[in-house]
Amino acid sequence: MSESKFHGVIPPVVIPLDANRQIDLMAFERSINRMINAGVDGLFFLGSSGEVAFLTDAQRYHVLQEAVAIVNKRVPVLAGIIDMETLRVIDQAKRAEGYGVDGLVATAPFYALGGPREVEQHFRVIRENTSLPLFAYDLPVCVHTKLDPDMLVKLGQDGVLQGVKDSSGDDVAFRWLCLENEDAGHPLQLFTGHEVVVDGAYLSGADGSVPGLANLDPDSYVAQWKAYQAGDWETVRRIQDKLARLMFITRRVNATVGFGAGVGAFKTALWQMGVFNTNQMREPVQALEGKDVETIVAILKENGLMDADAPIKTK
Amino acid sequence: MSESKFHGVIPPVVIPLDANRQIDLMAFERSINRMINAGVDGLFFLGSSGEVAFLTDAQRYHVLQEAVAIVNKRVPVLAGIIDMETLRVIDQAKRAEGYGVDGLVATAPFYALGGPREVEQHFRVIRENTSLPLFAYDLPVCVHTKLDPDMLVKLGQDGVLQGVKDSSGDDVAFRWLCLENEDAGHPLQLFTGHEVVVDGAYLSGADGSVPGLANLDPDSYVAQWKAYQAGDWETVRRIQDKLARLMFITRRVNATVGFGAGVGAFKTALWQMGVFNTNQMREPVQALEGKDVETIVAILKENGLMDADAPIKTK
Amino acid sequence: MSESKFHGVIPPVVIPLDANRQIDLMAFERSINRMINAGVDGLFFLGSSGEVAFLTDAQRYHVLQEAVAIVNKRVPVLAGIIDMETLRVIDQAKRAEGYGVDGLVATAPFYALGGPREVEQHFRVIRENTSLPLFAYDLPVCVHTKLDPDMLVKLGQDGVLQGVKDSSGDDVAFRWLCLENEDAGHPLQLFTGHEVVVDGAYLSGADGSVPGLANLDPDSYVAQWKAYQAGDWETVRRIQDKLARLMFITRRVNATVGFGAGVGAFKTALWQMGVFNTNQMREPVQALEGKDVETIVAILKENGLMDADAPIKTK
Amino acid sequence: MSESKFHGVIPPVVIPLDANRQIDLMAFERSINRMINAGVDGLFFLGSSGEVAFLTDAQRYHVLQEAVAIVNKRVPVLAGIIDMETLRVIDQAKRAEGYGVDGLVATAPFYALGGPREVEQHFRVIRENTSLPLFAYDLPVCVHTKLDPDMLVKLGQDGVLQGVKDSSGDDVAFRWLCLENEDAGHPLQLFTGHEVVVDGAYLSGADGSVPGLANLDPDSYVAQWKAYQAGDWETVRRIQDKLARLMFITRRVNATVGFGAGVGAFKTALWQMGVFNTNQMREPVQALEGKDVETIVAILKENGLMDADAPIKTK
């Protein structure tokens, strides 16, 4: 494990809205404090779980301003700077930097695809335009480019990248990335974004995880991290099985697909658990309702995140 | 053919840069005037050919401001409002509207995918937030969603959409879109974005075309449109064969792939033809050079767009 | 147009089954004769419309044996030799050759993908192992490789390929293939497999078409071909619009997707029209029923392929 | 762990060829005995590593006949029955059954895609046509369909499937499959085909692995399995890291891509290690040569599979 301050459990923060689709600041603070009190090692704002694609720039920077104030240096704050191509990402970087965040997270360029040369150049040019630690976000499901492990390690050795958030779903490539990073002297901090198989990433040597599901159950992810640090693999694995079952909330949704089923289920669970006040989503996504809410509540109860006799909340 | 002012040849405008990657305003004006003088029926700014994904917001609105001033109402101006999800697109719409454009062009939401319901809702919400005619841009290669013909026609009938720019590469779906639009009373103006097979789209009943290649040879596309209006299919077809051969400039590029090969070849040709002063691209894309420039010049000469004895320009 | 005997309308033949899923030989003969009497220029057996993927080898060669006998040299017979990789395809080629067919049709290798070198080598090795004319079947939706126009023309010039059946759905690449083939002296006969946009392929210079829908309406495709030969583009286009509407039978199916909706709709239409005796499909595909049958009948009646007062057949 | 005889390490066997591309029976026996002597729990013939897509039926059954004779009941023999659609797969099943194998392995249908209903029906109909244990082979990279965990568990409970070989590359879905299988009483034996992350699959609760790389280093996979049975996760993980580095032989190949790089590297390594006599491939794939062979030898030496001073073999 490197000495970097970036390690351990760094949840991507889900943003609560009120009925008018404005940030619900009290719920936001409650959720952040709940995670910090559970012992998370950092927080990541404006990632996919944070609905970054759905927020106007004004909304994005409102989130960052409030987030930095609420976190108040208790843990490092990472900010997504998600936009199409290099110059637009730099624009986001410069603004995020002004809000006092501790690190930035950028994907490969998207919308207008190029080849590997353009991807590498993209990260190099961002690096030249910010002084903050820069993480690559490997997210082919959104950007339709898989980041090559060899390139990532080279960018780490060259001081361009501080680390990687791997949400590629490619555990073979992640293993190779870990090994090549090790052989190169561990220049990169490597995080997995797949909350269902964090234990496998730890076996591969990951420096931490960025689990969206930790918004619901931060204690378990923190306990799992500690067990990993202690070499207690049976505990690592047992906690993972429990968390994987909790993640069924995203699989059992019937009314919609994609983002609305994933983050929609997180919001619905946080609402029913009393952390959020609604499960409101942003346009064009509809909040889950009816049968889907019942299914989610049932899974939360099975997994001990809601009392067995708690009623289903309605709006 | 409907009575709409949106019909005929509406090139997506390629933006010339100077060596410092700033807009080359004299070349921009020269290129716009060249197309208007050739008789094009409109101009489309901030599309893929206009490098929209690569421009900061400041750069985008600089383009629109200059474009509206240069065009000066000689032809209708369409503006791309390209961003990830609904609220961000509306932000772009409101700003574009302020610059006095005549219509807006939006893709399906991208980055965070949903299902068909979210795509339809996306266009409906944009519609509620602008008073300008709205075109759907069907561009699955960039946004990874194909727009359904049935949905498009329904959105036309409901007054949400004015028309469609089809760059889907799916000529079967385009045929069906044309037929269903006809059966519904032609609520939509339908344009093809595929410069190589505009004749096939005209056979299908298209209301016009949005050919990037018209930046190089606007005269031919205008002549083809007139032949189509006159029912002279042999001329339509003969011109198309010539234009398809000219498009070899994008196929014969060896140094790179994707956007850099396509728009990179257009810029290189316009530079060598004397319309632009360089073939400068935006980060992270490199300008074409060496052998690729020679290949493009050879094709331009074969097709009569450069004199046979003109020298190759160098920087 | 070349002097080749391969040109014009060559329908891929749909195979009727009886209730026991055996070939219904009387319906098979009736359907073949119906197409030959309409004036088609050839017949293609064991393509996708012929359920080639679903037939055992014994069933495949039963089809070829009966087909060659029924056709009895009235028109050329092409046979699909569809299998995963080169040696298996050659096995199919040798057996098909024994049944007296006039040409063979092979796809790129599939299941275990390689690169362009393997695709080219695949066709060259097949060529060395058969004396019959060989057509490349460009079908990325099934084999997940798009055939490159440059490679195809080279294989034509080298005497490896006689022609191409293009079902790639890529009208831009087809245009380029036509132009490059022309520049090379027309070594290849080029056919489109997209029944909805045959007119566009003719504009591009195609030597013919392989339309599955011609099983239902061979007369229209033959009339369209003749109009094309006469340069009567308005007739070519008018017939195409009618045929494109008829193809709605495959779009309006709700109970299933993919192959079952496409060939399933063809079989259901041929059954309701009285050419076939059932719409039986092969495992694991279910025959269409209920509402889907009603929808198909309605479209057939709108397009004049069934009498307005004909009852819906039931099993 | 269930009481099934199917568990542990079951390598998919790579087939050695002689210079005439015939099976090299002495090398085949040598390789099989080497794996059995190392303690593997079964052998899988006619999978991707066994070049099943490249073999004619005659060659496939030659492989099975020799394999069953050489193995001679020392371990269970699984046979791939890989073909396009249901009836063709059943044909393969019936023939494989005649050679005395102990279980069959089938993929989802491919080439002509349907929906989930057709995939489920496919396995059910195969089941009705063989008495042998049937495994589902989840291989979307080849067949372009991902098998749904819910469906697989249902097919296990219904007695259709004995187990699953998961080569989907989707570790999240595999975790869910393991959990749902456990909740259902463990009807399925679950194997991972990803040799680079077998440890992660064991954490998820896999019943075994089918690692192609075990053709090169069966001892390590057997030792890893034993460590897993003993709960010694640090050993499981350490061995995995070593094996993941050995797998670099497939990543460092430059001359080709896909199957030729993967199985081509395995064959080249086995040749250089003296297990095979050549690295001959089947049409249309070329054997690796030159620099690629040198690279593979260097990796084998680094990982102790070749003596440091052993010369590179040449043909």
Side-chain angles (χ1 to χ4, degrees):
Chain A
M1 187 62 44
S2 71
E3 296 302 304
S4 164
K5 68 176 168 181
F6 300 107
H7 64 259
V9 179
I10 305 181
V13 181
V14 179
I15 312 290
L17 301 179
D18 63 22
N20 296 319
R21 295 197 171 111
Q22 301 304 307
I23 304 182
D24 178 341
L25 285 173
M26 289 187 57
F28 191 42
E29 184 165 3
R30 183 162 58 226
S31 185
I32 288 172
N33 287 341
R34 187 170 171 266
M35 289 189 272
I36 292 177
N37 294 339
V40 301
D41 302 285
L43 289 168
F44 171 39
F45 294 90
L46 301 181
S48 302
S49 300
E51 293 173 293
V52 66
F54 299 87
L55 303 186
T56 63
D57 278 0
Q59 292 168 328
R60 287 180 176 194
Y61 296 107
H62 185 202
V63 166
L64 281 194
Q65 178 179 307
E66 300 294 342
V68 169
I70 294 169
V71 174
N72 195 20
K73 301 197 182 303
R74 289 179 286 173
V75 296
V77 165
L78 294 177
I81 50 172
I82 308 301
D83 216 318
M84 286 175 253
E85 296 279 348
T86 312
L87 299 188
R88 292 182 69 80
V89 175
I90 291 169
D91 239 26
Q92 300 281 346
K94 289 187 170 163
R95 294 177 67 173
E97 194 162 349
Y99 286 95
V101 302
D102 301 297
L104 302 173
V105 185
T107 68
F110 54 92
Y111 190 86
L113 294 185
R117 190 173 66 181
E118 284 80 11
V119 175
E120 181 172 338
Q121 174 71 357
H122 173 74
F123 287 111
R124 291 190 183 278
V125 177
I126 299 171
R127 167 75 292 152
E128 289 164 12
N129 284 278
T130 179
S131 60
L132 287 175
L134 178 64
F135 289 80
Y137 194 173
D138 195 7
L139 190 61
V141 71
C142 288
V143 305
H144 304 279
T145 296
K146 169 81 186 83
L147 299 178
D148 177 58
D150 292 349
M151 182 200 70
L152 290 169
V153 172
K154 185 167 63 164
L155 290 174
Q157 290 177 303
D158 291 354
V160 174
L161 293 179
Q162 174 78 25
V164 177
K165 183 197 166 190
D166 181 277
S167 296
S168 71
D170 185 338
D171 54 340
V172 170
F174 188 72
R175 185 58 158 257
W176 278 325
L177 175 58
C178 288
L179 290 173
E180 294 183 2
N181 189 46
E182 210 51 45
D183 293 348
H186 210 113
L188 298 168
Q189 275 75 58
L190 301 176
F191 294 83
T192 181
H194 287 288
E195 53 266 273
V196 170
V197 286
V198 170
D199 59 347
Y202 288 167
L203 263 192
S204 291
D207 297 295
S209 59
V210 185
L213 191 65
N215 285 269
L216 279 67
D217 188 0
D219 296 305
S220 292
Y221 281 102
V222 170
Q224 185 189 38
W225 170 255
K226 288 179 179 164
Y228 165 36
Q229 296 304 98
D232 178 3
W233 288 104
E234 284 299 336
T235 299
V236 170
R237 180 192 195 193
R238 186 177 41 74
I239 293 173
Q240 188 62 68
D241 276 345
K242 178 186 152 191
L243 290 165
R245 280 180 208 280
L246 181 56
M247 193 70 178
F248 283 168
I249 59 169
T250 66
R251 291 192 73 203
R252 303 294 184 224
V253 168
N254 287 316
T256 189
V257 296
F259 180 86
V263 176
F266 287 169
K267 286 202 171 184
T268 300
L270 288 162
W271 168 41
Q272 293 294 324
M273 291 164 62
V275 182
F276 285 13
N277 297 311
T278 78
N279 65 344
Q280 188 66 54
M281 304 293 287
R282 291 191 197 267
E283 294 286 12
V285 184
Q286 236 177 353
L288 298 178
E289 54 187 18
K291 193 81 185 142
D292 283 332
V293 176
E294 291 172 31
T295 303
I296 288 169
V297 166
I299 295 172
L300 293 173
K301 291 182 174 181
E302 279 167 30
N303 287 278
L305 270 83
M306 280 181 71
D307 288 340
D309 55 358
I312 294 184
K313 291 186 177 142
T314 54
K315 287 176 212 174
Chain B
M1 184 63 44
S2 71
E3 294 303 304
S4 164
K5 68 175 168 181
F6 299 108
H7 64 259
V9 179
I10 305 181
V13 181
V14 179
I15 312 290
L17 301 179
D18 63 23
N20 296 319
R21 295 195 170 111
Q22 301 305 307
I23 304 182
D24 178 342
L25 286 174
M26 290 187 58
F28 191 43
E29 183 164 5
R30 182 160 59 225
S31 185
I32 288 172
N33 287 340
R34 187 170 170 266
M35 289 189 273
I36 293 177
N37 294 339
V40 302
D41 301 285
L43 289 168
F44 170 37
F45 295 90
L46 301 180
S48 302
S49 300
E51 294 173 292
V52 66
F54 298 87
L55 302 186
T56 63
D57 278 1
Q59 292 168 329
R60 288 180 176 193
Y61 296 107
H62 185 200
V63 166
L64 281 194
Q65 177 178 308
E66 300 294 341
V68 169
I70 294 169
V71 174
N72 196 18
K73 302 196 181 302
R74 288 179 286 173
V75 295
V77 166
L78 294 177
I81 49 172
I82 309 300
D83 216 318
M84 287 175 253
E85 295 279 348
T86 313
L87 299 189
R88 293 183 68 80
V89 175
I90 291 169
D91 237 27
Q92 300 282 343
K94 289 187 169 163
R95 295 177 67 174
E97 193 162 350
Y99 286 95
V101 301
D102 302 297
L104 301 174
V105 184
T107 67
F110 54 92
Y111 190 86
L113 295 185
R117 188 173 66 181
E118 283 82 10
V119 174
E120 182 172 337
Q121 174 71 355
H122 172 75
F123 287 112
R124 290 189 184 277
V125 176
I126 299 171
R127 167 76 291 151
E128 290 164 11
N129 284 277
T130 178
S131 60
L132 287 176
L134 177 64
F135 290 80
Y137 194 172
D138 195 7
L139 191 62
V141 71
C142 289
V143 306
H144 304 278
T145 296
K146 170 82 186 82
L147 299 177
D148 176 59
D150 292 349
M151 181 200 71
L152 290 169
V153 171
K154 185 168 62 164
L155 290 175
Q157 290 176 302
D158 291 354
V160 174
L161 292 179
Q162 173 79 25
V164 177
K165 184 198 166 190
D166 181 277
S167 295
S168 71
D170 185 339
D171 54 340
V172 170
F174 189 72
R175 185 59 158 258
W176 279 325
L177 175 59
C178 290
L179 290 173
E180 294 181 3
N181 189 46
E182 210 52 44
D183 292 348
H186 210 112
L188 298 167
Q189 275 75 56
L190 302 177
F191 294 83
T192 180
H194 288 287
E195 54 266 271
V196 170
V197 287
V198 169
D199 59 348
Y202 289 165
L203 264 190
S204 291
D207 298 295
S209 59
V210 185
L213 192 66
N215 286 268
L216 278 68
D217 188 0
D219 296 305
S220 292
Y221 282 103
V222 171
Q224 185 190 37
W225 170 255
K226 288 177 179 166
Y228 165 36
Q229 297 303 99
D232 178 4
W233 287 104
E234 284 299 336
T235 299
V236 169
R237 179 194 196 192
R238 186 178 40 75
I239 292 173
Q240 188 62 67
D241 277 346
K242 179 187 151 190
L243 290 165
R245 280 180 206 282
L246 181 57
M247 193 71 176
F248 283 169
I249 60 169
T250 66
R251 290 192 72 204
R252 302 294 184 225
V253 167
N254 287 316
T256 189
V257 295
F259 180 86
V263 176
F266 286 170
K267 285 203 171 182
T268 300
L270 288 162
W271 168 40
Q272 292 294 324
M273 290 163 64
V275 182
F276 284 12
N277 297 310
T278 77
N279 66 342
Q280 189 66 55
M281 303 293 288
R282 290 190 198 267
E283 294 286 12
V285 184
Q286 235 177 353
L288 297 178
E289 55 187 17
K291 194 80 185 144
D292 282 333
V293 176
E294 291 171 32
T295 302
I296 288 168
V297 166
I299 295 170
L300 293 172
K301 290 182 173 180
E302 279 167 29
N303 287 279
L305 270 81
M306 280 181 71
D307 287 341
D309 56 358
I312 295 183
K313 288 184 180 146
T314 54
K315 286 176 211 173
Chain C
M1 185 61 46
S2 72
E3 296 302 305
S4 164
K5 68 177 168 181
F6 300 108
H7 63 260
V9 179
I10 306 182
V13 181
V14 179
I15 312 290
L17 301 179
D18 63 24
N20 296 318
R21 293 196 171 110
Q22 301 305 307
I23 304 180
D24 177 342
L25 286 174
M26 289 187 59
F28 191 43
E29 183 164 6
R30 182 160 61 225
S31 185
I32 289 172
N33 287 341
R34 187 169 170 267
M35 289 190 271
I36 293 178
N37 294 339
V40 301
D41 302 284
L43 289 168
F44 170 37
F45 295 91
L46 301 181
S48 302
S49 300
E51 293 173 292
V52 66
F54 298 86
L55 302 186
T56 63
D57 278 1
Q59 291 168 328
R60 287 181 176 193
Y61 296 107
H62 185 200
V63 166
L64 282 195
Q65 178 179 307
E66 300 294 342
V68 169
I70 294 169
V71 174
N72 195 20
K73 301 195 182 303
R74 288 179 286 173
V75 295
V77 166
L78 294 177
I81 49 173
I82 309 302
D83 216 317
M84 287 175 252
E85 296 279 347
T86 312
L87 299 190
R88 292 182 69 80
V89 175
I90 291 169
D91 238 27
Q92 300 280 344
K94 289 188 169 163
R95 294 176 67 172
E97 194 162 349
Y99 286 94
V101 302
D102 301 298
L104 301 173
V105 184
T107 69
F110 53 93
Y111 189 86
L113 295 186
R117 189 173 66 180
E118 284 81 11
V119 174
E120 181 172 339
Q121 175 70 357
H122 172 75
F123 287 112
R124 290 190 184 277
V125 176
I126 299 171
R127 168 76 291 152
E128 289 164 11
N129 283 277
T130 177
S131 59
L132 287 176
L134 178 64
F135 290 80
Y137 194 173
D138 196 7
L139 191 61
V141 71
C142 289
V143 305
H144 304 277
T145 296
K146 169 82 185 83
L147 298 177
D148 176 60
D150 292 350
M151 181 199 71
L152 289 169
V153 171
K154 185 167 63 162
L155 290 174
Q157 291 176 302
D158 290 354
V160 173
L161 292 179
Q162 174 78 26
V164 177
K165 182 198 167 189
D166 182 277
S167 296
S168 71
D170 185 339
D171 54 341
V172 170
F174 188 72
R175 185 58 158 258
W176 278 326
L177 175 60
C178 288
L179 289 173
E180 294 182 3
N181 189 47
E182 210 52 44
D183 293 348
H186 210 113
L188 298 167
Q189 274 75 57
L190 301 176
F191 294 83
T192 181
H194 288 288
E195 52 266 272
V196 170
V197 287
V198 169
D199 59 348
Y202 289 166
L203 263 191
S204 291
D207 299 295
S209 59
V210 185
L213 192 65
N215 284 269
L216 278 66
D217 188 0
D219 296 305
S220 292
Y221 282 101
V222 170
Q224 184 190 38
W225 170 256
K226 288 179 180 164
Y228 165 36
Q229 296 305 98
D232 177 3
W233 288 105
E234 284 298 337
T235 299
V236 169
R237 180 193 194 192
R238 186 178 41 73
I239 294 174
Q240 187 63 68
D241 277 345
K242 178 186 151 191
L243 290 165
R245 280 180 207 281
L246 181 56
M247 193 70 177
F248 283 169
I249 59 169
T250 66
R251 291 193 71 204
R252 302 294 184 224
V253 168
N254 287 316
T256 189
V257 296
F259 181 87
V263 176
F266 287 169
K267 284 201 173 186
T268 301
L270 289 162
W271 168 42
Q272 293 293 324
M273 291 163 63
V275 183
F276 284 12
N277 297 311
T278 78
N279 66 344
Q280 188 67 55
M281 303 293 286
R282 290 188 198 268
E283 294 287 12
V285 183
Q286 236 178 352
L288 298 177
E289 55 187 18
K291 193 83 184 143
D292 283 333
V293 176
E294 291 171 31
T295 303
I296 289 169
V297 166
I299 296 171
L300 292 173
K301 290 181 176 181
E302 279 168 29
N303 287 278
L305 269 82
M306 279 180 71
D307 287 341
D309 55 358
I312 295 184
K313 290 184 180 146
T314 54
K315 286 177 212 175
Chain D
M1 184 64 43
S2 72
E3 295 302 304
S4 164
K5 67 177 168 180
F6 299 108
H7 63 259
V9 179
I10 305 182
V13 181
V14 178
I15 312 291
L17 301 179
D18 63 23
N20 296 319
R21 294 194 171 114
Q22 300 305 307
I23 304 181
D24 178 341
L25 286 174
M26 289 187 59
F28 191 43
E29 183 165 5
R30 183 161 57 226
S31 185
I32 288 172
N33 287 340
R34 187 170 170 266
M35 289 190 272
I36 293 177
N37 294 338
V40 303
D41 302 285
L43 289 168
F44 170 38
F45 294 90
L46 301 180
S48 302
S49 300
E51 294 173 292
V52 65
F54 299 87
L55 302 186
T56 62
D57 279 0
Q59 291 168 329
R60 288 180 175 193
Y61 297 107
H62 185 200
V63 166
L64 282 195
Q65 177 178 308
E66 299 294 341
V68 169
I70 294 170
V71 175
N72 196 20
K73 302 195 181 304
R74 288 179 286 173
V75 296
V77 166
L78 294 176
I81 50 172
I82 309 300
D83 216 317
M84 288 175 251
E85 296 279 349
T86 313
L87 300 189
R88 293 183 68 80
V89 175
I90 291 169
D91 238 27
Q92 300 282 344
K94 290 187 169 164
R95 294 177 67 174
E97 194 162 349
Y99 285 95
V101 302
D102 302 298
L104 301 173
V105 184
T107 68
F110 54 93
Y111 190 86
L113 294 185
R117 188 172 68 181
E118 283 81 10
V119 174
E120 182 173 338
Q121 175 71 356
H122 172 75
F123 287 112
R124 292 190 183 277
V125 176
I126 298 171
R127 166 76 291 153
E128 290 164 10
N129 284 277
T130 178
S131 59
L132 287 176
L134 177 64
F135 290 80
Y137 194 173
D138 195 6
L139 190 62
V141 70
C142 288
V143 306
H144 304 277
T145 296
K146 170 81 185 84
L147 299 178
D148 176 58
D150 292 349
M151 181 199 72
L152 289 169
V153 171
K154 184 167 63 163
L155 290 175
Q157 290 177 301
D158 291 354
V160 174
L161 292 179
Q162 173 78 26
V164 177
K165 183 197 166 190
D166 181 277
S167 295
S168 71
D170 185 338
D171 54 340
V172 170
F174 188 72
R175 185 59 159 256
W176 279 325
L177 175 59
C178 289
L179 290 173
E180 295 183 2
N181 190 46
E182 210 52 44
D183 293 348
H186 210 114
L188 297 168
Q189 274 75 56
L190 302 177
F191 294 83
T192 180
H194 287 289
E195 52 267 272
V196 171
V197 286
V198 169
D199 58 349
Y202 288 166
L203 263 191
S204 290
D207 298 294
S209 60
V210 185
L213 193 66
N215 285 268
L216 279 66
D217 188 0
D219 296 306
S220 291
Y221 281 102
V222 170
Q224 185 190 36
W225 170 256
K226 288 179 179 165
Y228 166 36
Q229 297 304 99
D232 177 4
W233 288 104
E234 283 300 335
T235 298
V236 168
R237 179 194 195 192
R238 187 177 41 74
I239 292 174
Q240 188 63 66
D241 276 346
K242 179 186 151 192
L243 290 165
R245 280 179 207 282
L246 181 57
M247 194 70 176
F248 283 169
I249 59 170
T250 65
R251 291 192 72 205
R252 302 297 184 222
V253 167
N254 287 315
T256 189
V257 295
F259 180 86
V263 175
F266 287 169
K267 286 202 172 185
T268 300
L270 288 163
W271 168 41
Q272 293 294 324
M273 290 164 62
V275 182
F276 284 12
N277 296 311
T278 77
N279 65 343
Q280 189 67 55
M281 304 293 287
R282 292 191 197 266
E283 294 286 11
V285 184
Q286 237 178 351
L288 298 178
E289 54 188 17
K291 194 80 185 144
D292 283 333
V293 176
E294 291 171 31
T295 303
I296 288 168
V297 166
I299 295 170
L300 293 173
K301 289 182 175 182
E302 279 167 29
N303 287 279
L305 270 81
M306 280 181 72
D307 288 340
D309 55 356
I312 295 183
K313 288 183 181 149
T314 55
K315 286 176 210 172

